[in-house]
Amino acid sequence: MARRFGVDWDSYLQGFHTERPGSTEQVLSRAMNGHHTPYRWLARAVSARATTVLDLACGAGAMTRELELPGRLVVGIDISAAELELAQRRNEGPWVRGDALRLPFADESLDAVVSSMGMVVIHPTSRLLAEAARVLRPGGMLAFIAPTVRPVSPGDVRIGANLASRLRTLPRFPGPLEFTDFAATLRNHGMRKYEDGRERYHVTIHSRTDAETMVSALYLPTTSQSRLDAAIAYLEHEVRKNGKVELAVPMRRIVALK
Ligand SMILES: C[S@@+](CC[C@H](N)C(=O)[O-])C[C@H]1O[C@@H](n2cnc3c(N)ncnc32)[C@H](O)[C@@H]1O
């Protein structure tokens, strides 16, 4: 894997998800837009006729559970043993430990491939897309969500800038945060873009514990503990002043058909 930002992402991700399994889920399952989470938004993109669905980079399985329907087989795959152990404690699966860049599934064997966050975490994106396209049946659907930079409000920008000044960086990912030319990339893999939407979710922080949960779920491979502490202290200060802090979580959902 390329050393983006000078980081050895394979070992960073392995350590992060071994030490903190379920941390993405702790944030995204509390990220709300009206009454729904990003997981619900992604699940809604998948046709009820899809009876074999793969959840790529399933982590602790929040998305996999959201995809469940009577008569549908949902398989979760992840490279992290610790994440899958947590997933298995909640639901019997099937869970598969494996690399999304070498999927252990036959060509054209699945109705839908879904991923919450996998596209920004697994790199190179083109290889991941090639694997997704290979296992999808003709007419099958690829749907994923990824964090993005908009929509945000002026208040979100202020809080984001204050946090970034404590952390001296923004959260980082091995893959690109803003997909550009995605339609062309999909076409190269025999798929066409069907939908590209954005929604603003937010997580409400009520306490120092909430602030710690939020900050420890971010990928910050080059940030020192003292900077993490400063970001948590800033959020705690805002909670004391205003009773709560709303942290924006803008998300993008892309749906493609093979
Ligand atoms: C940000 S978490 C998202 C987890 C889950 N989809 C969610 O949204 O709650 C990224 C996940 O990607 C997994 N991952 C990283 N590289 C992978 C790879 N090459 N193949 C499969 N999973 C991978 C990590 O172990 C981690 O569970």
Side-chain angles (χ1 to χ4, degrees):
M1 183 182 282
R3 289 178 65 89
R4 200 161 185 252
F5 307 116
V7 175
D8 174 351
W9 281 100
D10 284 344
S11 57
Y12 177 74
L13 291 173
Q14 196 197 351
F16 184 100
H17 289 282
T18 301
E19 284 161 29
R20 284 171 257 181
S23 58
T24 308
E25 173 178 330
Q26 281 192 357
V27 171
L28 290 189
S29 60
R30 293 172 54 195
M32 302 307 294
N33 177 323
H35 293 294
H36 73 271
T37 64
Y39 295 129
R40 177 66 51 87
W41 189 39
L42 180 54
R44 282 181 184 162
V46 181
S47 159
R49 288 194 301 273
T51 55
T52 46
V53 179
L54 178 66
D55 180 14
L56 269 186
C58 63
M63 186 64 225
T64 328
R65 292 191 294 278
E66 194 73 51
L67 286 162
E68 281 169 5
L69 275 187
R72 174 186 279 174
L73 173 69
V74 190
V75 179
I77 185 167
D78 201 281
I79 208 163
S80 162
E83 293 281 1
L84 290 174
E85 205 181 299
L86 190 54
Q88 194 140 32
R89 263 189 254 149
R90 293 145 163 194
N91 177 314
E92 55 188 35
W95 308 107
V96 175
R97 184 162 182 217
D99 186 345
L101 297 174
R102 284 176 218 92
L103 290 173
F105 301 101
D107 295 359
E108 304 190 351
S109 57
L110 299 167
D111 294 330
V113 173
V114 170
S115 190
S116 162
M117 310 285 291
M119 287 291 156
V120 284
V121 171
I122 302 166
H123 214 54
T125 315
S126 61
R127 207 160 126 208
L128 181 58
L129 288 175
E131 270 302 83
R134 179 183 69 74
V135 298
L136 276 175
R137 66 162 172 77
M141 167 188 280
L142 169 69
F144 64 88
I145 50 171
T148 185
V149 294
R150 62 184 169 80
V152 283
S153 70
D156 298 336
V157 173
R158 181 183 64 78
I159 293 171
N162 284 334
L163 269 178
S165 81
R166 268 63 175 192
L167 296 167
R168 309 264 165 80
T169 177
L170 291 170
R172 290 181 157 166
F173 295 94
L177 196 51
E178 267 300 301
F179 298 108
T180 48
D181 273 343
F182 210 68
T185 312
L186 287 168
R187 268 197 308 278
N188 290 341
H189 295 288
M191 291 186 278
R192 69 183 162 82
K193 189 173 81 180
Y194 178 72
E195 187 216 273
D196 182 358
R198 291 168 187 267
E199 294 258 7
R200 175 190 178 277
Y201 291 82
H202 70 270
V203 173
T204 306
I205 307 232
H206 295 282
S207 63
R208 182 179 172 88
T209 308
D210 287 349
E212 286 168 346
T213 302
M214 186 74 198
V215 171
S216 70
L218 303 174
Y219 290 154
L220 293 163
T222 56
T223 305
S224 66
Q225 188 57 47
S226 62
R227 288 182 186 171
L228 301 177
D229 292 342
I232 292 165
Y234 162 69
L235 291 171
E236 192 182 15
H237 172 77
E238 290 292 299
V239 169
R240 262 201 232 107
K241 206 169 69 182
N242 304 316
K244 62 179 180 181
V245 189
E246 229 183 58
L247 276 187
V249 183
M251 299 294 288
R252 188 169 176 192
R253 181 177 80 175
I254 294 181
V255 181
L257 295 176
K258 178 170 166 185

